[in-house]
Amino acid sequence: NYIEWSVKQGFGVIDVNIPKHITGHDDTEGYVEEDRPKRISATEELAVYLWENYIECNDATEIFFIGVGDAFHGITHLLMNREHCFERITGIVNFVAENPLRPVQSQNIYWLSKWYIEHSLIYVSSTHLVWAPETPTKKLSKRFGKLVKSPMKGLNEMLERHHEEVEEWILERVERGRAKGKGKTVEVGVDVTEMAGI
């Protein structure tokens, strides 16, 4: 469990779950199909809200985001729409099964894409379209962060399979920050949207 591991490390954790079905106060309908655009928009809004009201005002010196499923969109939206937030973020780990990949780029900060590839691990399902033979992978790897092809198909399986790799990656970056004298405070933002049974 990523959250349990983070707490044992002494990291601060923000754990957020966005339900698959977002309804209003007056919704009296029965079963409603998932509204993915509405969910992605809610994830983007929530990422900005959490950044502005909880993370940005915190004195954490190492900040990590872990995004699962649609949370991936919230994290990339935050990077592209809050110009200097990347300066405080130490690393980003995303797990993507079926969501389309989203490039991180900015017209104002031309090196943001380079920063993203150096500070991210994007685990992508083995069945994702990005791995299709006709997809130009060299171009994708530069625009979408450091892509890692997972041998697993679903989000839960990917989370379980890559847990130790993610732990090592985060700890390596924390130690690197401490060696540079950045301090010991660590914030791990965990934004999970499609987990079941974990």
Side-chain angles (χ1 to χ4, degrees):
N1 183 314
Y2 289 82
I3 296 167
E4 184 179 316
W5 174 81
S6 299
V7 170
K8 283 181 181 176
Q9 299 300 313
F11 300 164
V13 176
I14 299 173
D15 177 26
V16 179
N17 293 281
I18 296 184
K20 278 194 170 207
H21 305 284
I22 300 172
T23 59
H25 296 292
D26 299 330
D27 290 344
T28 56
E29 299 175 21
Y31 176 77
V32 179
E33 288 293 321
E34 177 183 2
D35 185 351
R36 178 158 261 165
K38 190 175 184 180
R39 189 169 178 212
I40 288 171
S41 176
T43 302
E44 293 172 348
E45 288 174 31
L46 183 59
V48 170
Y49 176 82
L50 290 172
W51 178 262
E52 291 177 346
N53 293 285
Y54 294 95
I55 301 170
E56 186 176 37
C57 58
N58 189 299
D59 63 353
T61 56
E62 309 280 348
I63 299 171
F64 292 86
F65 287 100
I66 300 174
V68 181
D70 288 332
F72 166 70
H73 292 286
I75 294 169
T76 56
H77 175 81
L78 177 68
L79 285 171
M80 293 185 294
N81 290 284
R82 291 297 176 264
E83 278 196 21
H84 298 287
C85 75
F86 75 94
E87 295 169 351
R88 293 200 47 214
I89 298 171
T90 307
I92 295 171
V93 179
N94 283 316
F95 293 89
V96 180
E98 56 191 47
N99 298 66
L101 293 178
R102 188 177 197 180
V104 170
Q105 55 195 9
S106 170
Q107 292 182 2
N108 299 333
I109 304 170
Y110 60 88
W111 61 87
L112 184 60
S113 293
K114 183 177 183 205
W115 176 92
Y116 188 54
I117 198 166
E118 292 172 359
H119 292 82
S120 67
L121 274 179
I122 314 300
Y123 290 98
V124 183
S125 169
S126 61
T127 59
H128 195 280
L129 290 176
V130 72
W131 309 123
E134 62 276 1
T135 305
T137 55
K138 286 185 180 182
K139 188 175 184 182
L140 289 173
S141 67
K142 293 178 183 174
R143 293 175 55 213
F144 297 106
K146 182 178 178 186
L147 299 180
V148 178
K149 184 177 183 177
S150 174
M152 312 313 285
K153 294 179 183 179
L155 291 172
N156 289 337
E157 294 85 10
M158 290 169 56
L159 286 162
E160 189 174 322
R161 171 71 180 247
H162 301 291
H163 190 267
E164 288 183 18
E165 292 168 46
V166 171
E167 287 177 3
E168 289 173 18
W169 189 81
I170 290 173
L171 289 175
E172 175 186 305
R173 287 178 160 6
V174 168
E175 287 305 316
R176 198 180 308 163
R178 288 180 181 164
K180 292 179 182 178
K182 284 181 83 174
K184 294 185 178 182
T185 306
V186 179
E187 226 19 76
V188 178
V190 181
D191 192 357
V192 179
T193 61
E194 293 184 6
M195 291 177 62
I198 289 188

